[in-house]
Amino acid sequence: MHIELPRAARLLMERLEQKGFEAWIVGGCVRDCLLGRTPHDFDICTAAKPAQTISCFEPEFHVIKTGLQHGTVTVVVDGEPFEITTYRVDGAYSDGRHPDEVSFVTDLREDLSRRDFTINAMAYHPVRGLADYFGGAEDLAAGMVRCVGDPAKRFGEDALRILRALRFAATFDFAVEARTAQAMHAERQRLREISAERIQMELRRFLCGPGVFDQLVSFADVLCVPVPEIAPMIGFAQRNPHHRYDVWTHTAASVQAIRPVPELRLTMLLHDIGKPASFSLDKRGVGHFYGHPARSAALAAQILRRLKFDNATAKTVETLVLHHDDAVEPKPRQVKRWLGRVGETVFRQMLEVRRADIAAQSDWRRAEKFRRIDQVEAVLAEVLAEGQCYCLKDLAVNGVDLMKAGVPQGKQIGETLNRLLALVVDGELPNEREALLCAAQGFAGGAARTDGREARS
Ligand code: ATP
Ligand code: MG
């Protein structure tokens, strides 16, 4: 087994070992290399205490000491930072989040034993090869996420590991080993102890994994701890020919069906969360969910704020959830209205959401539904290629032009611009300066006449 290490990582390890301190690369990068993936960083662990690590590299290298209380020293080589962490074990976790103290140890095996999963608990050295005390390579080959040690105890120490297990399973499309899975279900309430920021970061990465469907279905109860609003969706029968799944299974399938970027995956997770509360049954026994997009959008807003998602993500997701079920006709006028309303990026995302939603429904009329989106996309391409006007900045006049033409300053300028835009989008006016100014003066004249009439009556 051979791992190609970056020159800088080799240099750092050699330097430590020349000074008599054992050093290995460790954790996620070993796992990623064995999987044939490119790791995003190479972490080093060493028997050297932090002060000794520092003295190996200062003053020749820039050394950053911000992680010192956890035993981490960051050394910058050719502008690239490398974390070098002293072998350590974690003390008690009285808050289930942070070890009360960390103690440095001299044995690599001890350091590996405090790590969460066997696949993350391997070390590698260019000469000594792989150090794998817990069967990590075997689990990696079998596609298995398994705790190092007793799962219940490990999740009790740090409940975030429950979400990390889901994240790794989804990312690598792995299964969760049976005892580990059992402990995740049993210990799930401990996720209440974890901060919103940490949950949010794991959730984001979990949702973007290619194996997310299986984990969403198997661990719905776990996700209900940070997002209890999910609970009513689970097993909720839709009783409608468009659907073959209950609301939660449909949700999970739609998450899996969309491109793996956080805002799209979050949109699918939340798009139908207002469905159970919107359910009604018609005379023929068919289920309907009138008004569910608005309900879902309101719940989504609440959940995203609670989990401290950034405003940009929250806003995009809310918009996409709100419009996920809106009719879009494959006509230039309609497409331009959407473009003016939400912009090209969000409009394209709306179409992606629509495709994922359809893919997760029943196959009743599916081909027809997809064909309609193809047509909308064709119209969109046309509108964009022709450089047709759909937003205020495309309009051949602006606010200053209107003021010069005598439209009173203030609210009326914006209103006039929007009115002109609507006429241009609808094809009732050409997007030409003269025609637009003339129309604007016409509006103003109309307003004056109305006022005059009112004054007389
Ligand atoms: P990635 O960087 O792709 O998220 P990673 O495995 O490197 O994956 P990090 O969060 O960077 O994950 O952590 C580095 C290593 O530290 C892990 O591989 C694991 O060995 C250990 N580790 C991280 N978080 C925990 C935790 N909560 N409990 C136990 N060990 C952990
Ligand atoms: Mg990492």
Side-chain angles (χ1 to χ4, degrees):
M1 216 259 331
H2 173 76
I3 293 179
E4 196 56 42
L5 296 181
R7 200 189 61 83
R10 277 204 319 270
L11 179 146
L12 294 169
M13 289 167 78
E14 276 164 20
R15 170 77 64 107
L16 283 161
E17 298 209 327
Q18 274 162 12
K19 305 267 178 181
F21 306 111
E22 190 181 80
W24 299 76
I25 68 150
V26 72
C29 57
V30 178
R31 174 199 69 216
D32 289 347
C33 289
L34 293 184
L35 283 172
R37 295 174 166 237
T38 312
H40 48 77
D41 42 32
F42 284 84
D43 296 328
I44 294 167
C45 66
T46 180
K49 301 289 180 286
Q52 294 170 318
T53 301
I54 292 168
S55 69
C56 285
F57 298 104
E58 259 185 349
E60 201 178 327
F61 293 91
H62 178 42
V63 175
I64 304 165
K65 296 159 191 161
T66 44
L68 232 47
Q69 73 281 17
H70 302 111
T72 301
V73 171
T74 302
V75 180
V76 183
V77 186
D78 300 334
E80 218 190 314
F82 288 83
E83 290 193 352
I84 304 177
T85 305
T86 303
Y87 296 159
R88 60 166 231 235
V89 290
D90 300 335
Y93 284 72
S94 44
D95 64 354
R97 257 173 299 186
H98 309 286
D100 297 337
E101 79 269 8
V102 305
S103 348
F104 299 133
V105 295
T106 51
D107 184 14
L108 171 69
R109 188 192 162 112
E110 273 191 273
D111 180 89
L112 294 177
S113 73
R114 64 142 173 118
R115 294 172 184 268
D116 46 10
F117 306 111
T118 60
I119 57 173
N120 290 345
M122 292 179 279
Y124 175 78
H125 186 278
V127 177
R128 298 187 293 272
L130 191 69
D132 176 16
Y133 299 103
F134 308 102
E138 200 180 310
D139 283 337
L140 212 49
M144 194 72 88
V145 177
R146 179 200 310 269
C147 281
V148 173
D150 173 29
K153 181 164 164 267
R154 301 314 307 278
F155 293 132
E157 287 165 0
D158 178 7
L160 187 72
R161 291 172 186 157
I162 297 172
L163 290 188
R164 284 176 58 89
L166 289 182
R167 190 244 290 184
F168 290 118
T171 304
F172 303 127
D173 202 2
F174 279 11
V176 180
E177 177 272 328
R179 280 183 58 232
T180 302
Q182 198 189 354
M184 287 162 67
H185 291 296
E187 304 296 321
R188 67 184 189 276
Q189 294 301 338
R190 292 181 184 269
L191 280 169
R192 294 168 187 271
E193 302 154 11
I194 303 297
S195 73
E197 288 85 352
R198 297 178 84 205
I199 292 202
Q200 184 250 110
M201 269 161 49
E202 285 303 324
L203 194 60
R204 220 177 239 278
R205 301 182 70 181
F206 162 64
L207 288 174
C208 289
V212 67
F213 175 81
D214 289 347
Q215 309 313 328
L216 283 170
V217 169
S218 304
F219 293 96
D221 59 329
V222 170
L223 292 162
C224 282
V225 177
V227 192
E229 294 88 342
I230 286 173
M233 288 197 275
I234 302 168
F236 197 101
Q238 310 212 48
R239 303 171 74 169
N240 181 298
H242 286 289
H243 286 281
R244 60 170 157 180
Y245 292 134
D246 68 273
V247 178
W248 178 244
T249 312
H250 161 72
T251 294
S254 74
V255 170
Q256 174 97 41
I258 205 157
R259 199 155 51 91
V261 295
E263 59 255 46
L264 294 180
R265 294 244 156 153
L266 280 163
T267 298
M268 297 329 292
L269 181 75
L270 302 173
H271 79 288
D272 277 351
I273 202 162
K275 261 191 173 181
S278 314
F279 183 71
S280 64
L281 214 51
D282 69 18
K283 280 194 249 74
R284 286 168 306 155
V286 176
H288 300 281
F289 301 92
Y290 299 117
H292 81 274
R295 267 212 174 85
S296 298
L299 284 170
Q302 181 186 307
I303 293 163
L304 295 166
R305 200 169 325 121
R306 193 176 68 224
L307 292 179
K308 303 215 161 74
F309 276 90
D310 60 284
N311 287 336
T313 302
K315 186 166 172 287
T316 304
V317 172
E318 283 165 46
T319 305
L320 292 172
V321 170
L322 183 64
H323 296 307
H324 82 266
D325 220 19
D326 288 2
V328 183
E329 303 279 319
K331 294 182 183 142
R333 183 183 292 198
Q334 279 255 344
V335 168
K336 283 190 277 182
R337 280 195 185 158
W338 276 110
L339 287 173
R341 205 160 149 197
V342 299
E344 184 189 337
T345 306
V346 172
F347 185 61
R348 286 189 186 279
Q349 289 174 326
M350 269 176 66
L351 299 178
E352 287 189 74
V353 166
R354 198 53 151 263
R355 283 189 191 279
D357 200 1
I358 295 166
Q361 295 172 352
S362 66
D363 49 21
W364 186 61
R365 293 192 170 173
R366 177 180 289 170
E368 190 184 318
K369 294 177 192 172
F370 278 133
R371 204 167 328 114
R372 190 136 184 110
I373 298 177
D374 293 342
Q375 288 165 349
V376 171
E377 272 170 358
V379 171
L380 172 63
E382 225 172 87
V383 166
L384 294 174
E386 289 173 14
Q388 295 187 31
C389 165
Y390 61 80
C391 61
L392 288 179
K393 78 169 171 36
D394 299 334
L395 210 57
V397 294
N398 61 26
V400 177
D401 299 327
L402 292 187
M403 272 187 287
K404 283 187 189 150
V407 178
Q409 214 164 336
K411 205 168 80 184
Q412 209 172 323
I413 297 279
E415 285 169 4
T416 307
L417 285 172
N418 278 312
R419 208 163 149 191
L420 292 172
L421 177 63
L423 290 168
V424 170
V425 164
D426 289 354
E428 286 168 27
L429 267 182
N431 187 24
E432 289 162 10
R433 201 182 144 78
E434 285 310 309
L436 295 176
L437 289 178
C438 182
Q441 278 157 345
F443 302 157
R449 264 201 310 280
T450 309
D451 293 349
R453 243 182 254 135
E454 275 170 5
R456 270 200 303 277
S457 64

